[in-house]
């Protein structure tokens, strides 16, 4: 396989991966689909963010993120609080219920990935993780990509 064929294979396999991730997200844990899960994860690791910050981070339209955050608020998983640095701005933060749901879903997802990767040698796992982190860290993505969700 030459470089051009490798790039084509990577593109094809990443597309399959993305489709399967979206399709399995609801089945893995019906309580929280993929987009809300990633938003909750980012809110947890960041300590809270404005909807515009979330939209920029994930390269999504602000209205899309606002709808998702509103749904998470209605479910009692996120609350808005004044930004400590600028009280005119509202920041979304996880509620205790949001943190609990995120913890349960994260554990469920870890178990599913662990089951799928159980037969992989440790060196392969480390290499694969490093490649994914390197790929997602590319600065030309148009969004800031986190090392962890």
């Amino acid at each position: 396989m030459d470089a051009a064929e490798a790039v084509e294979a990577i593109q094809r396999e990443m597309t399959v991966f993305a489709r399967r991730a979206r399709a399995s997200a609801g089945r893995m844990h019906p309580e929280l689909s993929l987009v809300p899960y990633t938003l909750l994860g980012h809110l947890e690791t960041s300590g809270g963010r404005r909807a515009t910050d979330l939209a920029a981070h994930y390269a999504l339209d602000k209205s899309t993120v606002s709808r998702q955050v509103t749904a998470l608020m209605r479910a009692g998983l996120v609350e808005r609080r004044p930004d400590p640095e600028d009280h005119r701005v509202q920041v979304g933060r996880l509620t205790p219920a949001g943190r609990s749901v995120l913890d349960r879903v994260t554990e469920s997802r870890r178990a599913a990935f662990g089951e799928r990767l159980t037969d992989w040698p440790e060196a392969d796992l480390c290499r694969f993780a490093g490649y994914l982190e390197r790929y997602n860290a590319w600065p030309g993505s148009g969004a800031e990509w986190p090392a962890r969700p």
Side-chain angles (χ1 to χ4, degrees), residues 8-22:
E8 181 62 28
I10 290 167
Q11 181 276 326
R12 182 182 60 250
E13 295 303 320
M14 293 289 284
T15 300
V16 170
F17 177 84
R19 286 182 180 158
R20 285 187 176 163
R22 280 192 300 272

Side-chain angles (χ1 to χ4, degrees), residues 8-144:
E8 181 62 28
I10 290 167
Q11 181 276 326
R12 182 182 60 250
E13 295 303 320
M14 293 289 284
T15 300
V16 170
F17 177 84
R19 286 182 180 158
R20 285 187 176 163
R22 280 192 300 272
S24 68
R27 290 190 312 267
M28 280 176 125
H29 208 291
E31 191 172 5
L32 202 58
S33 67
L34 187 60
V35 172
Y37 172 74
T38 57
L39 293 177
L40 286 180
H42 187 69
L43 289 174
E44 180 187 46
T45 59
S46 68
R49 286 285 185 254
R50 299 177 303 159
T52 54
D53 296 332
L54 290 169
H57 180 80
Y58 289 106
L60 295 171
D61 186 79
K62 185 179 180 252
S63 65
T64 300
V65 172
S66 292
R67 281 192 302 276
Q68 293 288 334
V69 170
T70 298
L72 291 169
M73 289 175 61
R74 284 188 188 128
L77 305 179
V78 170
E79 63 186 359
R80 284 198 177 126
R81 293 186 185 168
D83 185 335
E85 296 176 14
D86 184 351
H87 292 289
R88 298 170 296 170
V89 176
Q90 295 288 310
V91 175
R93 298 186 193 283
L94 263 66
T95 64
R99 184 162 278 109
S100 177
V101 167
L102 180 63
D103 289 346
R104 282 195 314 273
V105 174
T106 298
E107 186 56 38
S108 174
R109 289 176 190 266
R110 276 191 192 125
F113 274 98
E115 184 178 322
R116 177 110 187 219
L117 300 169
T118 193
D119 294 333
W120 286 37
E122 183 176 351
D124 287 353
L125 290 170
C126 292
R127 222 178 352 264
F128 187 50
Y131 292 150
L132 288 172
E133 288 173 350
R134 182 175 163 191
Y135 179 83
N136 285 330
W138 184 61
S141 65
E144 61 171 313

